[in-house]
Amino acid sequence: MTLGENKKIALGLIEEYSKTNKALTDDEDIAMRLNFAYATNYQELSQVKKILKTRVLREISGETSEGYTEYSLPSNMYQLKRIIALDDNNNIKEANYYTLGKKIYISNKNDYQYTLEYYQYPTIIKEDTQDSFTLELDQDVLMILPYAVANDILKVDPSADYTAFLSEYQRRKENLDTRREIPSIVVEEGVI
């Protein structure tokens, strides 16, 4: 979903959406503040349900040696989830590495592919961010975002009752399932 598509939902909720206006609303004050309202709420929701990314740090080269090779961690990394080492048959092997600051040092003794799984910061929404910008959050979170924005847009208007949007935003956020994987078991026939 793009920023512009999400804005239409938020503006529709507060009855300020204009299909004919390039700014998506006839209210100049709202149009001027809209990206700023998105920036803070987008960041907050990215910390509730984090943006999961992967990056291959090292490929299998066919060579081994002593020591460790230094690699830079992604500059947009929020938290490291795990590092997986795979052999040439994609079997998981014990990863031999250590981190220091924004660097990771991977052992040269084993010839494995090392893949970094991490949570990233979202791209910052700025005043000039285009409506064509693709939002990086999962769809379930993107459907909560308009309520947070509607709340922030209306809370500065003394004649508006923004509490309905605040309540709905909080309700949806509390019901958000942030799990990336659902635990499962395999039951086999045999002795318990």
Side-chain angles (χ1 to χ4, degrees), residues 133-145:
F133 169 68
T134 301
L135 298 169
E136 301 150 313
L137 301 176
D138 291 339
Q139 181 177 327
D140 54 352
V141 181
L142 291 176
M143 290 298 126
I144 296 172
L145 183 58

Side-chain angles (χ1 to χ4, degrees), residues 13 15 22 35 43 48 112 118 130 139 153 164 177 188:
L13 288 171
E15 298 179 356
K22 186 179 178 188
N35 274 16
Q43 174 69 41
V48 173
Y112 301 141
Y118 66 100
Q130 299 297 310
Q139 181 177 327
I153 290 294
D177 185 356
E188 294 183 11

Side-chain angles (χ1 to χ4, degrees), residues 52-63:
L52 182 64
K53 294 290 181 180
T54 60
R55 179 168 147 190
V56 174
L57 295 172
R58 184 171 81 189
E59 293 284 356
I60 295 174
S61 66
E63 299 175 13

Side-chain angles (χ1 to χ4, degrees), residues 71-123:
Y71 298 88
S72 293
L73 293 170
S75 60
N76 65 349
M77 187 176 85
Y78 174 55
Q79 291 175 330
L80 187 146
K81 183 176 180 191
R82 64 182 169 170
I83 295 178
I84 299 173
L86 300 171
D87 67 11
D88 54 358
N89 292 319
N90 288 326
N91 295 312
I92 295 178
K93 298 295 182 180
E94 186 174 339
N96 186 353
Y97 70 93
Y98 65 93
T99 59
L100 185 61
K102 291 276 189 174
K103 303 284 184 186
I104 184 168
Y105 297 84
I106 298 175
S107 173
N108 297 324
K109 287 185 179 182
N110 300 313
D111 189 28
Y112 301 141
Q113 174 182 300
Y114 278 78
T115 302
L116 168 69
E117 193 172 27
Y118 66 100
Y119 298 113
Q120 78 167 33
Y121 285 113
T123 302

Side-chain angles (χ1 to χ4, degrees), residues 5-35:
E5 291 166 338
N6 204 276
K7 283 181 180 179
K8 289 177 185 178
I9 296 169
L11 292 168
L13 288 171
I14 61 173
E15 298 179 356
E16 289 290 343
Y17 174 60
S18 173
K19 201 173 197 174
T20 58
N21 192 319
K22 186 179 178 188
L24 304 176
T25 181
D26 294 327
D27 188 318
E28 290 180 22
D29 183 48
I30 290 175
M32 185 179 68
R33 296 182 301 129
L34 199 52
N35 274 16

